[in-house]
Structure formats: structure tokens, C-alpha cells
Amino acid sequence: FCCTRVCVSLIRERIAAGDSDEAMVALRYDLGEALLAAGRDAEAREAFSKVAAIDPGFRDVAERLARFG
């Protein structure tokens, strides 16, 4: 749990710092994964939604969002 919290914090810092669009999409996806692992489903859904808005075909983001209903 502690490691997940640290990962979420680090990923959010990278997102806030800005990067290329491609890197941002990957970071937001990774943030969603970390939030899911921490049991923070609402925040994970938000992160995956942002990924889908930028690149709907990124990895399995459509499947991730479908799981939320």
C-alpha cells in the first residue's frame, strides 16, 4: 500500500511537470493502474478517461473503462 501511494505521487509529479503527449498518455495510464492497485477506483476511472480522450486506442484503456460500467 505504501509503495502504491509513493508511485501515485511520483506519477502525478511527472504529469504536472509536463512532457510529450505520448509520454503523458502513458503516465496517465500508469497512474490509473497505480490507483486501481490502491483501491481508488473513482480516481483510476478518471485517469483512464483522460487517456481515452487523448488516445482511445491506447493499450487496453477501452477495456479498463468498460469494467467500470
Side-chain angles (χ1 to χ4, degrees):
F1 178 72
C2 182
C3 290
T4 303
R5 196 171 16 197
V6 170
C7 287
V8 167
S9 179
L10 290 172
I11 293 169
R12 283 191 168 146
E13 285 177 21
R14 289 282 315 272
I15 290 170
D19 210 335
S20 70
D21 288 342
E22 198 172 310
M24 279 300 175
V25 172
L27 283 171
R28 287 194 187 283
Y29 183 91
D30 292 344
L31 175 61
E33 288 288 315
L35 290 165
L36 273 180
R40 294 161 62 178
D41 292 356
E43 291 173 272
R45 182 179 185 173
E46 182 180 342
F48 289 132
S49 292
K50 288 179 180 179
V51 170
I54 297 166
D55 183 354
F58 190 80
R59 296 185 191 167
D60 65 345
V61 73
E63 292 174 27
R64 294 286 181 176
L65 286 171
R67 291 180 192 167
F68 290 108

